[in-house]
Amino acid sequence: MNEEINKLTIRVAGIVPMNGGFVFMHRKNVIRNKDYQEYYTFPGGHLEEGETLEKGVIREIKEEFGIHVKVVRKLYELENSRVNMKEYFFLCEYVDGEFGTGEGEEFSNNPEYKESGEYIPEIVKREKISDLVLLPLEIKEKFLEDLQSRKI
C-alpha cells in the first residue's frame, strides 16, 4: 500500500487580533474549489518536516502577512478524515512587522497557483466576521462563540 495515501497531513493556522479586528486571507477567483470561489480563511499552512506546531504557525503568518507573532495558546483542533488532515488553530499576538508584506509562494505569480486564485491579506473588524464565508465553517462557529463570550 502507498505510504503517501495514509500519511496524515498537519496544517497549522493562526488567529491574530490586530487593529480592532482579526487578520484573514481573503481568497478570490478560486478555480479549484467548486463549492467556494470566494472566501476567507485563517492564515496558515502545512507543517514542514521537523517543525513544531508553534514554529509552523509563526513561519506561516510571517510568510503570508509579513508580520511576526508569538503564540499565546492553542484554541481548536479539527480532524478531516476525508482528506486525512488534522488542523491546529492557535491564538497569536502581533509582535511587529508591516502587515501585507508577505512573500510566501502564493504571492509569487507561479502558474502552479493559478487555480488557487488570488490571496489578499485583510484585517476584518470583529463585528463583520459573522458576515464572512470563513473556512473551515466548524472553526468559524467556535470562533464566533468565543468572540461572543469574550474568551478571545
Side-chain angles (χ1 to χ4, degrees):
M1 185 167 251
N2 186 342
E3 284 183 40
E4 288 298 311
I5 292 172
N6 296 323
K7 187 175 180 187
L8 179 67
T9 301
I10 303 293
R11 183 180 186 278
V12 291
I15 296 172
V16 185
M18 190 172 184
N19 297 340
F22 288 84
V23 303
F24 296 106
M25 188 62 77
H26 186 177
R27 302 286 308 279
K28 292 175 84 172
N29 305 313
V30 181
I31 297 167
R32 68 183 182 129
N33 189 336
K34 306 251 184 281
D35 296 328
Y36 299 100
Q37 281 81 52
E38 182 172 355
Y39 60 91
Y40 289 77
T41 189
F42 298 95
H46 296 291
L47 200 63
E48 293 182 356
E49 192 165 332
E51 197 171 44
T52 66
L53 298 173
E54 292 82 359
K55 293 242 189 257
V57 76
I58 290 167
R59 175 188 50 76
E60 283 288 345
I61 291 170
K62 173 72 170 124
E63 286 177 4
E64 292 184 4
F65 296 124
I67 61 174
H68 295 99
V69 298
K70 72 177 186 178
V71 173
V72 176
R73 69 180 186 274
K74 182 175 70 167
L75 291 176
Y76 316 115
E77 289 182 27
L78 179 65
E79 195 155 342
N80 185 338
S81 56
R82 185 177 56 82
V83 293
N84 204 26
M85 180 167 63
K86 189 157 189 179
E87 296 181 80
Y88 297 89
F89 297 81
F90 292 88
L91 178 62
C92 297
E93 181 180 309
Y94 168 79
V95 175
D96 63 20
E98 184 180 341
F99 182 79
T101 60
E103 297 180 352
E105 291 180 358
E106 57 270 32
F107 302 112
S108 68
N109 292 323
N110 181 334
E112 176 181 318
Y113 286 90
K114 183 176 172 52
E115 291 192 358
S116 296
E118 298 171 60
Y119 291 76
I120 305 162
E122 288 187 19
I123 299 172
V124 178
K125 297 293 182 199
R126 291 175 83 96
E127 60 273 9
K128 299 287 187 187
I129 294 171
S130 61
D131 299 332
L132 303 178
V133 175
L134 177 58
L135 301 179
L137 296 173
E138 301 96 313
I139 299 302
K140 176 187 178 182
E141 288 175 23
K142 291 178 181 182
F143 178 60
L144 289 174
E145 287 172 16
D146 286 348
L147 281 179
Q148 186 76 21
S149 65
R150 298 280 179 202
K151 290 181 181 174
I152 299 177

